[in-house]
Amino acid sequence: MYKNTGSLWKSLFMSLMFLSLGGIQVDAFVGINWGRMAKQRFVPSMVVDLLLQNGITELRIFQPSLNVLDAFADTNIGYGDMEIVIGQIGWPTDGYEGASEENAERFHRGFLKYLGRKEGTPLRPNKDINVFLLSLTDENMVNTDIGNYQRHWGIYKLDGEPKYKIDFTMHDLNTKPTVAKGTVKMPNRWCVFDGKTEYNETLLMKDFDSACMDSDCSTFGSGATCDHLVFAEKVSYAYNMRYQMNNQDQEYCELLGAELTANNPSTPDCEFPVEILTAEVVDGGSPDTKKY
């Protein structure tokens, strides 16, 4: 069963779907983007009329709402044959209650199985539904203003390992996608907090906040995989993320109470990752690569 997914699903639909709408074209065309982030904005029916008046048949919308979709579903306005492409849809795996690999696998299995049956929608039966899944990999530098789960849409982890089973052929095959080739994983070592209680709390909190700001602590969100950690463990996690995201450069482990270890500090629910070398280091042939 999905757990606590109501508000997450609402956010998925209202904030993260991106629609590309346009009539079938053979020749080149000019379309238009409709941005809706304004206090004063046209109602959807006005936009439809405006497009018709100007002969515009291609439109992209970010953050569509139900009344927007209703306006374009009205076959009386001359857009009955409009092609609809879902530009972003998926399920996050961390950073929020209900965001998990288990739920992401279940969502994609049901969704892709439905697409494979080619049933279409009630207003467009027996038609293909074209979609772009969100996303190939996690993005640990994405803005988290909407929620920490924004960094965890990836079907793949950042080390190139698939997170869960998904069948891109829409045949409901029970298999994981292939592992990414060519990644350079760094050695199994971690930067952690030594756990001593003698440090100045203000200075320790400063380094903890700084480490999170410089890296990715989105797994601390309510209901996320590392939310249960005690403070000392969260400091270790933040220190390690800063260290890993900077190619295990020892300079980035020079924090209050920090030390390097070869013992994996992960817990059953919270993984302290060892990352891969960044593309800039690998592709640039940096001398730093040689030490790995």
Side-chain angles (χ1 to χ4, degrees), residues 16 18 58 70 73 86-87 91 103 107 118 170 211-212 225 232 245 247 258 260 273:
L16 296 168
F18 177 89
E58 298 287 333
D70 285 342
I86 301 177
W91 198 278
N103 282 347
F107 168 78
K118 300 181 181 294
M170 298 178 289
C212 277
T225 54
M245 289 175 65
N247 298 310
L260 293 176

Side-chain angles (χ1 to χ4, degrees), residues 146-199:
I146 297 176
N148 286 347
Y149 61 86
Q150 289 291 93
R151 295 185 174 181
H152 300 279
W153 292 101
I155 296 169
Y156 280 84
K157 298 179 182 179
L158 286 172
D159 63 2
E161 290 283 342
K163 297 180 186 177
Y164 49 83
K165 296 175 182 177
I166 182 172
D167 177 24
F168 299 114
T169 69
M170 298 178 289
H171 292 149
D172 198 27
L173 300 178
N174 190 36
T175 183
K176 282 188 174 183
T178 58
V179 176
K181 298 179 180 179
T183 58
V184 182
K185 194 163 185 176
M186 292 182 286
N188 286 331
R189 58 175 173 238
W190 296 261
C191 175
V192 297
F193 175 55
D194 62 20
K196 295 178 181 178
T197 59
E198 61 196 46
Y199 302 111

Side-chain angles (χ1 to χ4, degrees), residues 35 61 93 140 150 160 162 175 201 209 212 282:
I61 311 171
T93 57
N140 57 20
Q150 289 291 93
T175 183
E201 291 185 9
D209 290 340
C212 277
V282 176

Side-chain angles (χ1 to χ4, degrees), residues 213-254:
M213 187 175 298
D214 292 343
S215 61
D216 177 25
C217 293
S218 57
T219 56
F220 294 163
S222 176
T225 54
C226 301
D227 185 40
H228 66 283
L229 298 181
V230 299
F231 178 68
E233 292 173 319
K234 287 187 175 181
V235 174
S236 284
Y237 185 93
Y239 282 9
N240 183 63
M241 288 304 299
R242 183 175 188 260
Y243 175 65
Q244 300 294 339
M245 289 175 65
N246 287 281
N247 298 310
Q248 291 191 355
D249 187 329
Q250 189 166 342
E251 176 183 345
Y252 290 90
C253 192
E254 295 176 357

